[in-house]
């Protein structure tokens, strides 16, 4: 029976010797923990390991050792939300510095993927929004800063809209300035391949569809974002034209 050794490995992960170069030790640890977690929340050993890993996750963000936990986070949120989220959610709303670090762990802002899939989306939506309503001064702005703004970042997609979770954040918390500021910052934090004007153009149709939103603050914010993104797009086009003229000389 290997389970006692596996539990011990989970408990002692913080004391492991960190080696430069090879990542195989971390990979083996992650694969073993995934195997245990995939036994599901009805398995008592899996629940024990889920709690151990959740506690280490919160410790790891303080000591900058969170990468070993990143591949395990989706499983903890999707399959063990009742075990993991009360601890994680409490940490997010309790300390601003921890919240900032956890935001980087839960988010996907710098991915080049056309379909963003940050770990936070693995948490059941009803649990996520219950948490937002319980902590309205902190939680909604946190979520607004890390969930995808759009359903797709593919310029070729005919149908593109605000992501359903982001749309719900706007519908339920769009009267909060901190939430709207977080969405603006989310839009301004990105990875993009190609002319920047193409990125700003992604938001034209989705923002236009929000011009009649029932919340006045959202409508005002939409107009400001349309204006600002048009200015950014024009500046990007002008910059590209100048570069092309320079290279043509």
């Amino acid at each position: 029976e290997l389970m006692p050794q596996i539990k011990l490995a989970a408990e002692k992960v913080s004391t492991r010797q960190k080696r430069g170069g090879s990542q195989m030790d971390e990979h083996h640890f992650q694969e073993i923990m995934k195997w245990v977690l995939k036994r599901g929340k009805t398995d008592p050993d899996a629940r024990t390991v889920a709690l151990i890993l959740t506690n280490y996750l919160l410790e790891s963000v303080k000591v900058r050792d969170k990468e070993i936990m990143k591949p395990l986070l989706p499983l903890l949120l999707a399959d063990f939300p009742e075990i993991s989220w009360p601890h994680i959610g409490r940490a997010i709303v309790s300390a601003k510095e921890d919240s900032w670090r956890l935001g980087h762990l839960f988010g996907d802002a710098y991915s080049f993927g056309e379909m963003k899939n940050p770990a936070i989306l693995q948490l059941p939506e009803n649990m996520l929004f219950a948490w937002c309503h319980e902590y309205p001064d902190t939680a909604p702005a946190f979520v607004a800063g890390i969930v995808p703004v759009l359903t797709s970042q593919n310029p070729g997609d005919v149908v593109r809209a605000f992501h359903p979770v982001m749309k719900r954040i706007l519908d339920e918390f769009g009267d909060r300035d901190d939430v709207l500021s977080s969405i603006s910052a989310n839009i301004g934090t990105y990875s993009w391949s190609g002319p920047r004007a193409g990125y700003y153009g992604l938001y034209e149709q989705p923002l236009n569809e929000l011009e009649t939103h029932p919340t006045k603050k959202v409508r005002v914010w939409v107009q400001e974002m349309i204006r600002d993104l048009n200015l950014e797009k024009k500046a990007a086009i002008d910059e590209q034209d100048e570069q092309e003229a320079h290279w043509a000389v």
Side-chain angles (χ1 to χ4, degrees):
E1 175 59 63
L2 294 176
M3 195 54 65
Q5 291 93 323
I6 291 174
K7 290 180 184 177
L8 183 63
E11 291 171 351
K12 298 295 185 183
V13 61
S14 63
T15 63
R16 77 191 190 285
Q17 183 178 359
K18 300 176 181 65
R19 303 174 182 175
S22 174
Q23 302 288 314
M24 287 306 295
D25 288 350
E26 290 189 5
H27 174 74
H28 290 318
F29 172 82
Q30 291 162 351
E31 291 303 306
I32 291 170
M33 295 303 139
K34 286 178 184 178
W35 175 79
V36 177
L37 293 175
K38 286 177 180 178
R39 295 169 70 158
K41 60 184 177 183
T42 59
D43 184 274
D45 291 321
R47 292 198 304 271
T48 298
V49 168
L51 180 57
I52 293 170
L53 292 175
T54 297
N55 289 332
Y56 179 65
L57 168 69
L58 298 177
E59 178 187 337
S60 70
V61 297
K62 299 178 186 294
V63 297
R64 302 180 185 277
D65 189 33
K66 59 184 182 292
E67 290 305 314
I68 194 171
M69 290 300 302
K70 197 161 189 173
L72 304 175
L73 187 53
L75 276 173
L76 289 173
L77 295 179
D79 296 347
F80 302 88
E82 297 87 356
I83 293 173
S84 63
W85 189 247
H87 299 277
I88 295 170
R90 190 161 51 247
I92 291 170
V93 300
S94 297
K96 187 173 182 179
E97 189 173 358
D98 287 350
S99 173
W100 180 81
R101 290 170 176 166
L102 286 165
H104 282 276
L105 184 63
F106 281 78
D108 193 27
Y110 294 104
S111 166
F112 279 93
E114 294 174 352
M115 304 290 288
K116 303 289 185 179
N117 189 31
I120 192 69
L121 293 181
Q122 301 306 310
L123 184 69
E125 189 173 314
N126 64 332
M127 188 173 289
L128 179 65
F129 277 87
W131 176 68
C132 287
H133 282 281
E134 184 177 359
Y135 300 100
D137 293 336
T138 310
F142 176 85
V143 175
I146 62 174
V147 299
V149 180
L150 302 177
T151 52
S152 169
Q153 288 194 352
N154 182 350
D157 283 349
V158 177
V159 179
R160 188 185 313 108
F162 268 67
H163 190 281
V165 174
M166 186 64 86
K167 179 62 166 55
R168 187 172 170 185
I169 284 287
L170 276 170
D171 291 345
E172 297 182 23
F173 301 99
D175 59 342
R176 294 189 59 94
D177 291 333
D178 58 343
V179 169
L180 298 175
S181 294
S182 287
I183 301 174
S184 299
N186 193 335
I187 292 173
T189 306
Y190 63 93
S191 293
W192 181 255
S193 177
R196 286 186 296 116
Y199 173 77
Y200 298 122
L202 295 174
Y203 292 90
E204 292 176 0
Q205 178 185 336
L207 282 170
N208 288 337
E209 292 174 356
L210 290 176
E211 287 185 298
T212 57
H213 194 277
T215 302
K216 182 179 179 180
K217 272 196 174 182
V218 173
R219 297 196 301 271
V220 172
W221 172 81
V222 165
Q223 291 301 319
E224 291 173 350
M225 288 304 301
I226 290 173
R227 179 200 65 205
D228 292 347
L229 290 175
N230 281 337
L231 290 173
E232 292 285 357
K233 182 178 179 181
K234 182 180 184 303
I237 292 172
D238 290 344
E239 180 182 326
Q240 184 179 352
D241 289 345
E242 289 177 8
Q243 289 178 343
E244 290 175 354
H246 174 77
W247 289 111
V249 175

